[in-house]
Amino acid sequence: MKNKKSRALLERALMHIPGGVNSPVRAFKSVGGFPPFIARAQGAYIWDEDGNKYIDYVGSWGPMILGHNHPEVREAIAKALENGTSFGAPTRLEVEMADFLCDRLPHLEMVRMVNSGTEATMSAIRLARGATGRDKIVKVSCCYHGHGDSLLVEAGSGALTFGTPSSPGVPKSLAADTLVIPYNDAAALERILDANAGKIACFILEPLPGNVGTLLPRPGYLREVRALCSKHGVVLIFDEVMSGFRVAFGGMTELSAVTPDLVTYGKIIGGGLPVGAYGGKRELMKLVSPSGPVYQAGTLSGNPLAMAAGLAQLKVLDRDRNEIYPRLDAITERLGNGVKAAASLANVEITVNHQGSMFTAFFAKGPIEDDASARSCDTARFAAFFREMLENGVYLAPSQFETGFVSCAHKDDDIALTIEAANTAMKAAARLTR
Ligand code: HOZ
């Protein structure tokens, strides 16, 4: 691959942007090499500044479920743009968004739009604390809920990738109020709720973790979690920033048939523009300012361009959901099987987890079902695989502890080319000696 322009841009970026990037995992620090700077994207493909083309499985980290630059989304943004970019006042589009979400998602009675998944989870735990009058929260190790202070404790995503799951800068007093348990372990939740009876405001988790790579809930786990939270008067928060509208139209809430008290969204609901949302039971949401005392605000919240893009994308997903989700599931399964076969040919141990169009190839024997098993992966072998895939025109998330996303724009040929690249890349991974 040519890389002169990307290299020059990285050098410039390093002068004025920490690490040269505006979000840590993009820096490729855990996989080596340096990031191509992306110039444009269309459908399943991205092109870098040097003109190299890649089949993209990052999809802007999840939002681009229809593929990049989808015409209906682009046209909705262009139409909204004619009227201006931000008013800091109520608009028709945000009412349409709230109606759309609450009409279609039975667990959502009210919703508040924010600007990112981080804001959504931060606001949801504040609401849970305000509603219960309790300070402590419980989270799952390796789940990542953005970078709000209370949640950067044993967090996944970049925090895990760079070995700082509990970030410096988070006050000890705040971290002490965040209790952490393993994923898929309802008994651990029961023990911690019993030991802290009357003190826990909420239990927050990604029902389908994607920030340690993709993990799947054991049968019954989410139901048990629901029952324990109800028994202890603890607000159950599903963080569906990644899985919402991704693994099914109604996300994991639909697939598990478990109703949380609050849910957070982001990514897909903004159609590629910055957005987040939190919502759920009316009795809780009515406590949010100005209808209640729990304060939360945002200059750009409900931004008209983001609402237009998100609504356009959601309407396509809603309209075509019976074709979209089964097809995404089928081609992701085919991709996973192809990568597994490539690994087996090269004698490399991997475990592929996938749910719908979310997938991760873990470089370990498996099963991979929690933080501890994910950490058993051979990250150096993953890095060798990653670099070779990139060289062969396949753009994967640059960390073992992230999720891959397939979009509606990926065609059978793209999957076949990706499997061909995986055959080459697995051989490179197999050659790695330490
Ligand atoms: N936290 C995101 C993935 N889990 C990374 C976002 C980005 O680097 O853009």
Side-chain angles (χ1 to χ4, degrees):
M1 295 280 178
K2 296 167 285 176
N3 56 27
K4 208 168 141 208
K5 290 185 181 160
S6 282
R7 272 184 190 274
L9 278 169
L10 182 62
E11 263 168 46
R12 263 179 73 193
L14 284 165
M15 293 292 291
H16 296 299
I17 308 176
V21 288
N22 281 313
S23 191
V25 220
R26 298 178 196 177
F28 278 36
K29 270 180 94 175
S30 72
V31 288
F34 68 93
F37 278 58
I38 305 306
R40 71 187 174 94
Q42 185 64 52
Y45 312 116
I46 51 175
W47 286 262
D48 68 18
E49 291 279 347
D50 291 284
N52 301 306
K53 176 185 177 186
Y54 307 87
I55 304 173
D56 177 26
Y57 291 99
V58 175
S60 190
W61 300 93
M64 315 316 295
I65 188 166
L66 299 179
H68 291 283
N69 208 7
H70 189 274
E72 286 178 62
V73 177
R74 194 179 57 232
E75 276 155 30
I77 297 172
K79 192 165 160 233
L81 189 56
E82 283 171 17
N83 297 325
T85 55
S86 178
F87 317 123
T91 62
R92 172 185 293 275
L93 275 170
E94 60 196 330
V95 180
E96 283 179 16
M97 174 64 97
D99 283 353
F100 182 93
L101 293 172
C102 293
D103 280 352
R104 282 156 185 81
L105 302 176
H107 57 276
L108 223 55
E109 292 172 350
M110 294 185 101
V111 64
R112 168 62 68 84
M113 302 307 298
V114 292
N115 298 295
S116 67
T118 292
E119 267 188 64
T121 54
M122 213 171 71
S123 308
I125 62 166
R126 182 181 305 133
L127 173 56
R129 283 170 160 157
T132 57
R134 303 169 179 176
D135 286 344
K136 291 191 185 300
I137 66 169
V138 181
K139 79 176 281 289
V140 165
S141 62
C142 83
C143 277
Y144 176 75
H145 307 286
H147 57 90
D149 280 345
S150 287
L151 294 163
L152 263 190
V153 178
E154 296 198 33
S157 190
L160 175 61
T161 304
F162 301 131
T164 48
S166 303
S167 174
V170 172
K172 283 193 179 62
S173 54
L174 209 52
D177 277 338
T178 302
L179 311 177
V180 184
I181 56 170
Y183 183 62
N184 264 331
D185 190 346
L189 179 63
E190 185 164 26
R191 280 195 298 276
I192 217 157
L193 295 183
D194 284 343
N196 294 275
K199 294 187 187 146
I200 309 283
C202 64
F203 176 44
I204 182 167
L205 80 165
E206 298 173 79
L208 182 87
N211 284 289
V212 63
T214 310
L215 302 183
L216 310 183
R218 288 196 190 117
Y221 171 64
L222 296 173
R223 262 199 319 277
E224 288 165 44
V225 156
R226 173 67 277 178
L228 286 167
C229 288
S230 299
K231 179 176 159 201
H232 286 267
V234 165
V235 176
L236 175 60
I237 306 174
F238 275 6
D239 179 349
E240 294 236 53
V241 167
M242 214 179 250
S243 54
F245 303 95
R246 166 58 70 178
V247 292
F249 187 80
M252 276 307 283
T253 306
E254 176 187 318
L255 290 185
S256 65
V258 168
T259 306
D261 301 302
L262 293 175
V263 191
T264 59
Y265 293 106
K267 300 194 189 276
I268 285 178
I269 64 164
L273 294 190
V275 97
Y278 66 105
K281 296 215 164 98
R282 184 177 301 275
E283 73 199 61
L284 285 171
M285 292 304 293
K286 275 175 76 176
L287 299 175
V288 176
S289 184
S291 66
V294 178
Y295 200 74
Q296 181 271 309
T299 297
L300 293 173
S301 293
N303 174 267
L305 299 189
M307 294 303 96
L311 264 172
Q313 175 148 278
L314 290 173
K315 282 178 183 171
V316 175
L317 292 173
D318 188 24
R319 182 187 71 207
D320 300 338
R321 60 166 95 178
N322 294 336
E323 291 86 55
I324 285 178
Y325 293 101
R327 178 176 177 272
L328 283 175
D329 191 38
I331 60 170
T332 309
E333 174 139 24
R334 187 164 353 122
L335 175 64
N337 288 339
V339 174
K340 270 193 263 181
S344 146
L345 261 179
N347 225 359
V348 173
E349 273 183 346
I350 67 161
T351 303
V352 176
N353 285 355
H354 101 93
Q355 176 75 55
S357 53
M358 288 171 65
F359 69 93
T360 300
F362 291 99
F363 280 67
K365 186 156 178 268
I368 307 293
E369 49 194 21
D370 55 18
D371 189 10
S373 47
R375 282 174 196 250
S376 74
C377 286
D378 186 338
T379 50
R381 219 172 279 287
F382 167 80
F385 173 76
F386 169 87
R387 287 192 299 269
E388 196 64 26
M389 290 296 272
L390 194 69
E391 203 50 38
N392 282 276
V394 178
Y395 188 83
L396 298 172
S399 162
Q400 173 67 96
F401 305 119
E402 294 284 359
T403 281
F405 300 97
V406 177
S407 79
C408 299
H410 286 86
K411 304 278 178 301
D412 292 349
D413 283 357
D414 299 315
I415 302 296
L417 281 173
T418 306
I419 293 171
E420 205 178 302
N423 273 293
T424 309
M426 281 299 174
K427 286 180 200 141
R431 281 196 297 274
L432 185 79
T433 48
R434 266 161 274 135

